[in-house]
Amino acid sequence: MATSPRELTQNPLKKIWMPCNNGLPEKHTSQRKVCMTNCPTLIVMVGLPARGKTYISKKLTRYLNWIGVPTKEFNVGQYRRNFVKTYKSFEFFLPDNEEGLKIRKQCALTALNDVRQYLGVEGGHVAVFDATNATRERRDIILKFAEMNGYKVFFVESVCEDPEIIGANIVQVKLCSPDYMNCNNDEAVEDFMKRIECYKNSYQTLDEVLDKDLSFIKIMDVGRRYLVNQVLDHIQSRIVYYLMNIHITPRSIYLCRHGESELNLKGRIGGDSGLSLRGKEFARCLGKFIKEQNINDLKVWTSQMKRTIQTAEALSVPYEQWKVLNEIDAGVCEEMTYEEIQEHYPLEFALRDQDKYRYRYPKGESYEDLVQRLEPVIMELERQENVLVICHQAIMRCLLAYFLDKSAGANAKILLPFRVSVNVCINITLTCVV
Amino acid sequence: LAQAQGKMSSKEHLELTQAPLQKIWVPQTSTLLQRRRGSSVPQFTNSPSIIVMVGLPARGKTYISKKLTRYLNWIGIPTKVFNIGQYRREAMKTYQSFEFFRPDNQEALKIRRQFALTALNDVKTYLSQEFGQVAVFDGTNTTRERRSVILHFAKENGYKVFFIESICEDPEVIETNIMQVKLTSPDYKDCNKEEAVEDFLKRIECYKINYEPLDNELDSNLSYIKIFNVDSRYLANQIQDHIQSRIVYYLMNIHITPRSIYLCRHGESELNLQGRIGGDLGLSPRGKMFASQLENYIKEQDIKDLKVWTSHKKRTIQTAERLGVPYEQWKALNEIDAGVCEEMTYEEIQKCYPREFALRDQDKYRYRYPKGESYEDLVQRLEPVIMELERQENVLVICHQAVMRCLMAYFLDESSDELPYLKCPLHIIFKLTPLAYGCKVESIYLNIEAVDTHREMSSNTDIPRELEETLDQVLVFS
């Protein structure tokens, strides 16, 4: 069948070549994110209470959304709180409490229904089903549901028997839960421990033999050991890699831009100029600040542009240069002022305001491109402990968006329009907020 | 401003200079280029690592060793395999039979232990004197005693240890392994097939008696991954650092399902015809003919479930469009960014940037175009492509010259010196099929002429050079 090949047109915003018909772009799979999900994926958390399931759910959801995979979590405990209004005691969770069992099952089914809404109608790609899902029976219900709807299922189980870690979890996140609004700390801890006991007898952990056909990762003792089974596709492989790299050791990440540069002074974007006088002063102050903070084993990262390296040099400590931390490439607009861009490329200027996240400079990059190239930085930041990243405005926006969970998402929301000034250092201490 | 800068000369460490070849900014005051600060790729390995393979014979240990080594070297981590069997063969010249491996053969046990120690000595030389970063110790290492010898050695020398255990009990898989790689081993050159298989199976039995797999309890403080071959199951324990994390990710993504990878460049482009590099123009008439022939070829081959990947450049997408099948666009597959030299001819580059042109010939792998990229940068951005190629089965990648060189170098284990000079002409498809420990390459020429864009290595890289001298490596357009 010798059909003439379709003509290509370049989407003016994203600068992507697409087939067109009579000058109008045709819908084409080449617009789909590379290798991501073909059919929707349901991630199912598994584990006793206070094993970090919600922590993992939220973090994973944040990561997936940041890399451009629309993801949403569905916390069954939240559904239960919405339904039951006031929490009385652990007795709700007793395995012989018929009333409680009915309500809990209903909440799970309602949540699954919302999952179907999200993955089917709302264009979601991944749903994270956050509940104990501790019995094979419950998991079979979910598997059937997924099969009926054509979803892939991936289980994430967290197993931990270290009483210190469990105790710390309870103190950190359970005590401030709405369930325990009206209790003092000791009462809350006691009740919660009894709650965990309710689940223990019927808990059926994912098993190498009995569950050998399921796709799952079992995380043991907060990452000391992992069991990975039947990873089916790209997104599951990425999820496994991410989960194996995160940790919960307390640490701080410091993000800042380079000191003010010569081109900053002239109001020009991009380029590779050195620091201005004020920029050098900032570098020195940064050095003092870092010394005063006396941070344990601080790693320092810069881009490969002169201005970030000059800033790091003032700290008199070793640092690593990452090319992927370089500022967004403004292509033909490099080293121009915004007025000049407006004058020479008025169409481009307008397009950029339309969708700043997806807009790609001619022969340059978009924020969307930046996120892709920054992903290894995020992965390594997750592995590391105390790190200072000296980078650039657009880069910093992308990194902050990851940590503060402001994603572009499927709705093309604008990514962090707020200005990040030079000469400011932002410290992120990561906590889990439920 | 110059005066102000003069005042600040006491803080000279803020003055930087840009290394001309790699375009890396380094402190001006340092007389030696401090390797750490001047590195073009972030360094994550502090202490060297020994990767220790564990497993019965014919479990794929050497396959994994070689593949992993190839991957690590490609991403820029100097790695070398130390195969104990090789040491044995070199020392003993002739192989008699499986009896050598019997656990009660005291004489042989002494000799075998000696091989291991010799190999460890070579590991030490490689890691401590030859700038190696990772050594892969490829032996059965099936007893706790042997492994503790290695752990002790590593501790003495400050090396990290990571174990990779390969477990397989499927007799079919084991037999296939034996057929594929053992029968052609020098050990069995004087045997017929049946004798070889019989002897090898007895050899495996010798090891089984004393095999102590890595144990969850007893070895809980060791860093390791257990690969349960047939079941697609992995157990990872105490992953210590960046390199171990990358290794685990890689091992979980590779597979041995037979498949082929097809690599080709876009059809000849308008800029190719003009002898210009880079840019984003469409196909020439001959390029379109190539795309058409490519379509025929692909249809004829009837490849199961073929995935097609292109870059974001018009010329690769136009080529793919002709195939009439779905394709994915990867920005990471874009041609090397020639920065200020984009869309120039080699004559123009020689005229406008003679110094750059000469630097490029000095070290083409590390040379970075001003405001552009180097081959070294390309490898970093292509790593996710390689990882996904490992996951996939049949894939056709339509890309560009420099990109294709990087990908070919990965599959064919070419060094970074060879990589920038690999021949990747227009209108030729390379079909890569994994075979035993390596890769079979078939070149498929679709009979459509194109310009030659290849430049050979230059013998004279001093500046300045005569224009003709630099250009006689660029072959005349056909």
Side-chain angles (χ1 to χ4, degrees):
Chain A
M1 192 169 76
T3 48
S4 52
R6 299 182 284 189
E7 285 305 311
L8 294 181
T9 184
Q10 193 180 46
N11 168 304
L13 193 110
K14 294 180 70 169
K15 313 296 189 292
I16 304 265
W17 288 102
M18 302 177 330
C20 69
N21 223 333
N22 297 324
L24 293 169
E26 265 186 25
K27 210 163 173 0
H28 185 77
T29 51
S30 62
Q31 290 169 284
R32 192 162 41 94
K33 275 259 163 302
V34 168
C35 289
M36 287 306 178
T37 44
N38 286 322
C39 53
T41 301
L42 180 60
I43 298 176
V44 181
M45 302 304 299
V46 178
L48 294 173
R51 263 57 175 182
K53 295 185 301 299
T54 301
Y55 175 79
I56 293 171
S57 300
K58 285 182 178 277
K59 212 169 154 71
L60 187 56
T61 300
R62 176 162 57 89
Y63 168 71
L64 290 174
N65 276 314
W66 186 77
I67 61 170
V69 180
T71 305
K72 189 171 171 187
E73 8 133 27
F74 297 82
N75 178 296
V76 176
Q78 205 42 51
Y79 282 76
R80 191 253 312 150
R81 275 185 280 275
N82 292 345
F83 191 81
V84 178
K85 304 297 178 212
T86 41
Y87 174 75
K88 298 221 169 50
S89 79
F90 76 95
E91 306 205 340
F92 180 80
F93 292 96
L94 281 170
D96 54 1
N97 180 346
E98 291 293 338
E99 184 65 29
L101 283 172
K102 232 175 42 177
I103 295 174
R104 287 155 70 195
K105 182 157 175 168
Q106 191 50 48
C107 288
L109 292 176
T110 309
L112 283 180
N113 219 29
D114 287 353
V115 162
R116 187 185 350 195
Q117 177 78 5
Y118 176 68
L119 295 179
V121 176
E122 292 171 25
H125 285 199
V126 177
V128 182
F129 193 68
D130 177 16
T132 49
N133 299 314
T135 61
R136 207 156 267 121
E137 187 226 343
R138 168 58 55 87
R139 298 195 288 266
D140 281 340
I141 293 174
I142 301 171
L143 283 164
K144 278 200 184 61
F145 162 83
E147 196 183 335
M148 252 185 0
N149 290 287
Y151 307 149
K152 284 185 181 163
V153 179
F154 187 71
F155 293 94
V156 176
E157 180 173 18
S158 175
V159 173
C160 179
E161 284 317 315
D162 183 335
E164 266 187 53
I165 296 178
I166 297 167
N169 275 2
I170 297 177
V171 168
Q172 259 200 12
V173 296
K174 301 300 178 188
L175 296 187
C176 47
S177 156
D179 289 346
Y180 295 112
M181 261 184 341
N182 300 320
C183 303
N184 69 45
N185 280 358
D186 292 326
E187 287 169 346
V189 172
E190 196 188 324
D191 184 272
F192 198 83
M193 297 298 279
K194 293 208 182 97
R195 206 154 109 177
I196 298 177
E197 287 304 311
C198 295
Y199 285 91
K200 273 195 175 167
N201 280 341
S202 54
Y203 183 24
Q204 291 167 306
T205 186
L206 287 169
D207 184 78
E208 299 187 0
V209 180
L210 296 172
D211 300 304
K212 68 176 172 62
D213 291 329
L214 300 182
S215 301
F216 66 83
I217 179 171
K218 194 187 251 208
I219 305 170
M220 294 169 266
D221 294 328
V222 204
R224 254 185 87 241
R225 190 148 44 154
Y226 304 92
L227 180 67
V228 178
N229 196 66
Q230 300 275 17
V231 168
L232 287 182
D233 61 10
H234 177 91
I235 193 71
Q236 291 181 13
S237 164
R238 294 284 287 274
I239 289 166
V240 164
Y241 186 42
Y242 181 72
L243 293 176
M244 290 174 80
N245 280 321
I246 61 181
H247 66 79
I248 54 167
T249 311
R251 47 78 172 255
S252 287
I253 295 173
Y254 299 80
L255 297 182
C256 68
R257 287 171 72 185
H258 52 83
E260 184 188 68
S261 74
E262 298 287 353
L263 281 179
N264 284 143
L265 272 182
K266 298 184 180 144
R268 297 184 173 282
I269 65 173
D272 194 14
S273 60
L275 297 179
S276 67
L277 283 179
R278 285 196 301 200
K280 287 182 180 166
E281 191 53 42
F282 168 73
R284 271 188 285 275
C285 289
L286 182 65
K288 255 182 61 184
F289 170 74
I290 293 298
K291 258 202 188 72
E292 279 164 22
Q293 294 289 298
N294 204 17
I295 305 152
N296 182 34
D297 219 4
L298 179 72
K299 300 273 168 27
V300 178
W301 297 350
T302 70
S303 70
Q304 287 189 348
M305 299 190 137
K306 188 175 185 183
R307 50 201 188 277
T308 57
I309 297 165
Q310 265 186 309
T311 309
E313 276 289 322
L315 308 178
S316 298
V317 294
Y319 56 87
E320 297 289 344
Q321 297 185 15
W322 290 72
K323 187 170 192 278
V324 293
L325 284 173
N326 280 3
E327 180 57 313
I328 191 170
D329 183 356
V332 301
C333 301
E334 278 283 316
E335 298 193 50
M336 288 181 140
T337 64
Y338 284 118
E339 291 88 350
E340 284 167 2
I341 302 175
Q342 167 75 34
E343 204 190 303
H344 296 282
Y345 302 100
L347 177 63
E348 294 296 328
F349 207 59
L351 284 170
R352 187 153 207 250
D353 284 339
Q354 259 182 44
D355 185 347
K356 197 169 174 186
Y357 183 72
R358 282 175 193 74
Y359 169 80
R360 189 184 275 171
Y361 281 103
K363 300 192 180 176
E365 295 178 299
S366 62
Y367 274 96
E368 197 172 24
D369 293 330
L370 275 193
V371 163
Q372 266 217 349
R373 74 160 151 95
L374 284 170
E375 202 263 353
V377 174
I378 289 295
M379 197 62 87
E380 192 55 27
L381 276 172
E382 287 294 346
R383 289 199 52 81
Q384 292 285 346
E385 294 185 16
N386 294 318
V387 186
L388 164 64
V389 184
I390 305 172
C391 54
H392 305 266
Q393 178 166 261
I395 300 293
M396 202 157 147
R397 282 176 173 155
C398 292
L399 296 178
L400 274 174
Y402 168 75
F403 289 109
L404 304 181
D405 202 12
K406 304 236 181 287
S407 64
N411 303 319
K413 284 206 286 269
I414 293 178
L415 180 74
L416 277 201
F418 66 78
R419 294 190 49 207
V420 188
S421 342
V422 285
N423 304 346
V424 162
C425 184
I426 295 181
N427 170 346
I428 300 173
T429 305
L430 302 169
T431 53
C432 174
V433 179
V434 174
Chain B
L1 199 63
Q3 266 187 335
Q5 281 184 339
K7 251 194 269 183
M8 310 232 171
S9 61
S10 53
K11 300 279 186 199
E12 255 173 18
H13 60 268
L14 288 187
E15 292 313 309
L16 300 178
T17 182
Q18 196 180 46
L21 194 109
Q22 290 177 291
K23 313 295 188 294
I24 304 277
W25 290 102
V26 288
Q28 210 166 53
T29 50
S30 65
T31 43
L32 304 153
L33 209 69
Q34 290 159 293
R35 172 104 187 103
R36 198 131 177 92
R37 285 177 179 180
S39 169
S40 50
V41 180
Q43 302 291 305
F44 292 117
T45 45
N46 288 324
S47 35
S49 296
I50 304 184
I51 298 178
V52 182
M53 303 304 298
V54 179
L56 296 172
R59 264 58 178 175
K61 296 186 301 301
T62 302
Y63 175 79
I64 292 171
S65 299
K66 286 176 180 269
K67 207 170 158 72
L68 185 59
T69 299
R70 176 160 58 89
Y71 168 70
L72 292 174
N73 277 314
W74 186 76
I75 59 173
I77 298 172
T79 307
K80 190 171 171 186
V81 181
F82 296 82
N83 177 293
I84 310 305
Q86 209 41 50
Y87 281 78
R88 188 226 344 124
R89 275 184 281 273
E90 270 161 34
M92 298 195 58
K93 307 299 177 206
T94 44
Y95 171 75
Q96 303 290 10
S97 79
F98 77 95
E99 309 258 352
F100 181 78
F101 293 98
R102 286 178 56 160
D104 53 1
N105 185 340
Q106 293 297 340
E107 188 61 36
L109 280 173
K110 254 194 340 200
I111 298 175
R112 287 161 68 195
R113 191 190 164 91
Q114 198 48 50
F115 298 140
L117 293 175
T118 310
L120 282 179
N121 218 31
D122 287 353
V123 163
K124 185 170 169 183
T125 308
Y126 178 66
L127 294 180
S128 297
Q129 294 166 32
E130 290 174 12
F131 305 110
Q133 264 179 346
V134 177
V136 181
F137 197 69
D138 178 18
T140 49
N141 301 312
T142 41
T143 60
R144 198 154 274 118
E145 191 255 335
R146 170 56 56 85
R147 297 196 288 266
S148 64
V149 168
I150 302 170
L151 284 164
H152 183 76
F153 162 83
K155 190 159 181 216
E156 261 183 357
N157 290 286
Y159 306 148
K160 286 187 179 160
V161 181
F162 187 71
F163 294 93
I164 300 177
E165 182 172 20
S166 177
I167 295 167
C168 176
E169 286 315 318
D170 184 334
E172 266 186 52
V173 173
I174 296 166
E175 186 176 323
T176 310
N177 278 0
I178 298 177
M179 301 298 259
Q180 269 201 2
V181 296
K182 302 299 178 186
L183 297 186
T184 47
S185 157
D187 290 345
Y188 295 112
K189 60 180 198 288
D190 297 322
C191 304
N192 69 44
K193 244 186 8 197
E194 284 81 29
E195 287 170 349
V197 172
E198 193 187 328
D199 184 273
F200 199 82
L201 288 174
K202 291 207 183 100
R203 206 154 110 177
I204 297 176
E205 289 306 310
C206 293
Y207 283 92
K208 271 191 180 172
I209 300 165
N210 291 327
Y211 182 19
E212 294 169 290
L214 289 167
D215 182 79
N216 286 345
E217 307 301 318
L218 298 171
D219 300 307
S220 62
N221 286 329
L222 300 182
S223 299
Y224 63 82
I225 180 170
K226 264 171 170 320
I227 305 175
F228 297 89
N229 266 310
V230 186
D231 303 324
S232 302
R233 193 166 69 236
Y234 306 87
L235 181 69
N237 193 68
Q238 299 271 37
I239 300 172
Q240 287 173 46
D241 62 8
H242 176 93
I243 190 70
Q244 290 179 14
S245 166
R246 294 284 287 274
I247 290 167
V248 165
Y249 185 41
Y250 182 71
L251 293 175
M252 295 199 305
N253 281 322
I254 61 180
H255 66 79
I256 54 168
T257 311
R259 49 81 172 252
S260 289
I261 295 169
Y262 300 79
L263 298 181
C264 70
R265 290 166 69 185
H266 52 82
E268 182 190 71
S269 75
E270 298 289 351
L271 281 181
N272 286 142
L273 275 181
Q274 294 170 36
R276 295 180 178 285
I277 64 174
D280 193 16
L281 287 195
L283 299 178
S284 70
R286 288 196 301 200
K288 290 182 180 163
M289 276 165 59
F290 167 74
S292 197
Q293 288 300 98
L294 182 64
E295 183 198 2
N296 290 341
Y297 173 75
I298 294 299
K299 277 206 175 69
E300 276 165 32
Q301 292 291 297
D302 196 25
I303 305 153
K304 172 169 171 273
D305 244 347
L306 180 70
K307 299 271 163 51
V308 178
W309 297 351
T310 70
S311 69
H312 276 198
K313 297 283 178 180
K314 188 174 185 183
R315 50 200 188 276
T316 57
I317 297 166
Q318 264 187 310
T319 310
E321 269 291 315
R322 200 71 190 78
L323 305 179
V325 295
Y327 55 88
E328 305 236 20
Q329 296 186 16
W330 291 72
K331 186 165 193 278
L333 283 172
N334 277 1
E335 181 56 315
I336 192 171
D337 184 356
V340 301
C341 300
E342 277 282 315
E343 298 191 50
M344 289 177 122
T345 63
Y346 286 119
E347 292 97 334
E348 286 166 2
I349 301 175
Q350 167 68 31
K351 276 215 184 76
C352 304
Y353 303 100
R355 185 149 190 261
E356 292 296 326
F357 207 54
L359 283 170
R360 188 156 206 250
D361 283 341
Q362 265 179 35
D363 187 347
K364 197 172 173 187
Y365 183 71
R366 279 168 203 77
Y367 170 81
R368 188 183 275 169
Y369 280 105
K371 302 195 180 174
E373 296 177 301
S374 61
Y375 273 96
E376 194 173 25
D377 295 328
L378 262 198
V379 162
Q380 293 303 311
R381 77 161 149 91
L382 284 170
E383 201 263 352
V385 176
I386 288 295
M387 196 62 87
E388 191 57 24
L389 276 173
E390 287 293 348
R391 288 197 53 79
Q392 293 285 345
E393 292 184 21
N394 293 318
V395 186
L396 163 65
V397 184
I398 305 172
C399 54
H400 306 267
Q401 181 168 250
V403 169
M404 195 160 151
R405 283 172 171 155
C406 293
L407 299 178
M408 291 287 283
Y410 168 75
F411 288 109
L412 303 181
D413 203 16
E414 300 280 358
S415 71
S416 58
D417 290 330
E418 300 292 321
L419 186 160
Y421 296 101
L422 293 178
K423 282 210 167 67
C424 295
L426 287 166
H427 298 187
I428 293 190
I429 307 165
F430 288 107
K431 179 179 175 183
L432 302 165
T433 311
L435 185 65
Y437 291 141
C439 224
K440 185 174 81 162
V441 189
E442 296 165 63
S443 310
I444 297 131
Y445 181 56
L446 292 185
N447 232 359
I448 308 282
E449 300 253 331
V451 301
D452 189 334
T453 57
H454 189 84
R455 273 191 81 234
E456 286 296 343
M457 210 177 305
S458 180
S459 41
N460 175 9
T461 56
D462 296 330
I463 317 150
R465 294 175 296 171
E466 292 301 323
L467 180 61
E468 293 76 53
E469 226 179 272
T470 62
L471 292 181
D472 66 9
Q473 289 95 25
V474 179
L475 300 176
V476 182
F477 308 144
S478 54

